Amino acid sequence: MRLEKMRVRDATPFDIPVILDMLRQYRAQTPLPFLHDADDEIYVTRVLTEIMAGRGVALLVESDKVDGMLLAQVANSAWSPKHLVMTEMAYWVNPEARGGSGGHRLISAYVEHGQALKDQGRISAFFISKMVNSPDLKYDKFGFNKLEEFWVM
């Protein structure tokens, strides 16, 4: 059974093509219309390369193939440039892999990475967001505290 072999690992530059494909699927389902046209592969590849070089985490869950991803970027806090924070940018599980443990495994691995970076003093906080079309996961079960809600026009 696929779930028995499922594992989370750090992405490598060799994974960029599959990540770009998942990002295209992610964009197609986003409720933000301007992202439907955001397909600058060169820019996104540069961002992914920076993340993989240490400016965040790029996690993949896989069984016999890659089933999902969680991407997060480390940047200066908007309120304090001396404080670095890690913000989840994209959390995606392929439709055929949903309902299994892949999403849970990705978030658990993200929490482990984020907590390790906090413990090392490399970041002050790490965030995960929930879009209106995302599954209703209980992020508090992973240790997150609800911070805010925001709306867009």
Side-chain angles (χ1 to χ4, degrees):
M1 183 173 196
R2 288 179 53 165
L3 296 178
E4 292 177 28
K5 298 187 306 181
M6 193 166 284
R7 69 182 184 103
V8 175
R9 65 174 175 83
D10 292 325
T12 71
F14 295 106
D15 296 308
I16 288 176
V18 74
I19 294 171
L20 290 172
D21 183 58
M22 285 188 290
L23 285 171
R24 285 184 192 96
Q25 294 176 66
Y26 176 86
R27 276 197 327 268
Q29 293 187 16
T30 183
L32 292 170
F34 76 89
L35 286 179
H36 296 170
D37 299 325
D39 195 20
D40 187 339
E41 200 170 298
I42 293 170
Y43 173 75
V44 173
T45 298
R46 189 172 75 231
V47 170
L48 291 171
T49 302
E50 290 172 4
I51 288 170
M52 292 174 192
R55 291 201 52 93
V57 296
L59 301 170
L60 300 177
V61 65
E62 63 183 1
S63 50
D64 55 335
K65 65 179 187 67
V66 175
D67 291 317
M69 67 179 174
L70 193 150
L71 306 173
Q73 189 172 35
V74 173
N76 297 77
S77 164
W79 300 109
S80 174
K82 69 180 182 178
H83 292 97
L84 296 175
V85 296
M86 183 165 64
T87 305
E88 170 260 327
M89 303 166 38
Y91 167 50
W92 174 263
V93 176
N94 290 331
E96 65 276 8
R98 293 178 189 166
S101 65
H104 184 274
R105 290 173 190 250
L106 281 168
I107 295 173
S108 293
Y110 177 58
V111 169
E112 288 178 26
H113 278 71
Q115 192 59 54
L117 291 171
K118 277 184 73 174
D119 292 346
Q120 296 164 10
R122 292 185 54 203
I123 60 172
S124 298
F126 58 102
F127 301 87
I128 193 160
S129 60
K130 179 187 177 304
M131 293 181 100
V132 295
N133 63 338
S134 296
D136 193 22
L137 300 176
K138 306 293 183 207
Y139 293 102
D140 57 332
K141 301 272 187 200
F142 294 94
F144 289 100
N145 296 305
K146 188 173 183 179
L147 178 65
E148 67 180 12
E149 294 182 37
F150 64 92
W151 290 262
V152 65
M153 290 180 68

